Amino acid sequence: MIQNMKPELVSEWSLNNERTPTDFVYTSQVRVLWNCSTCGNEYEAPINKQMVVMATVRIAIISRS
């Protein structure tokens, strides 16, 4: 489950999704709604791709430091 294995994903999970993070594993290709932690906008992306996006953002932030 996402909630147990990747809790950082849960923080951006949109409440507008019909299902909850406990219904999926983090490698799922299902498209769900996310809330951007920077601007607050909602967008749709596959769960497994969201992991890549979050990792890329972390690397970019660390690189700027």
Side-chain angles (χ1 to χ4, degrees), residues 4 12-13 15 18-20 22-23 37 40-41 44 46-47 49-53 59-62:
N4 298 335
E12 295 190 5
W13 189 268
L15 296 177
E18 292 180 11
R19 296 170 68 187
T20 67
T22 58
D23 296 328
S37 60
N41 286 334
E44 185 178 298
I47 295 168
K49 299 296 184 197
Q50 187 67 7
M51 287 297 304
V52 173
V53 169
I59 290 168
I61 290 169
I62 292 168

Side-chain angles (χ1 to χ4, degrees), residues 30-45:
V30 173
R31 297 180 68 84
V32 297
L33 297 172
W34 303 95
N35 292 314
C36 176
S37 60
T38 303
C39 68
N41 286 334
E42 189 175 76
Y43 62 96
E44 185 178 298

Side-chain angles (χ1 to χ4, degrees), residues 1-7 10 20-26:
M1 286 187 241
I2 295 172
Q3 190 170 326
N4 298 335
M5 302 212 43
K6 302 291 180 185
V10 177
T20 67
T22 58
D23 296 328
F24 301 98
V25 294
Y26 70 93

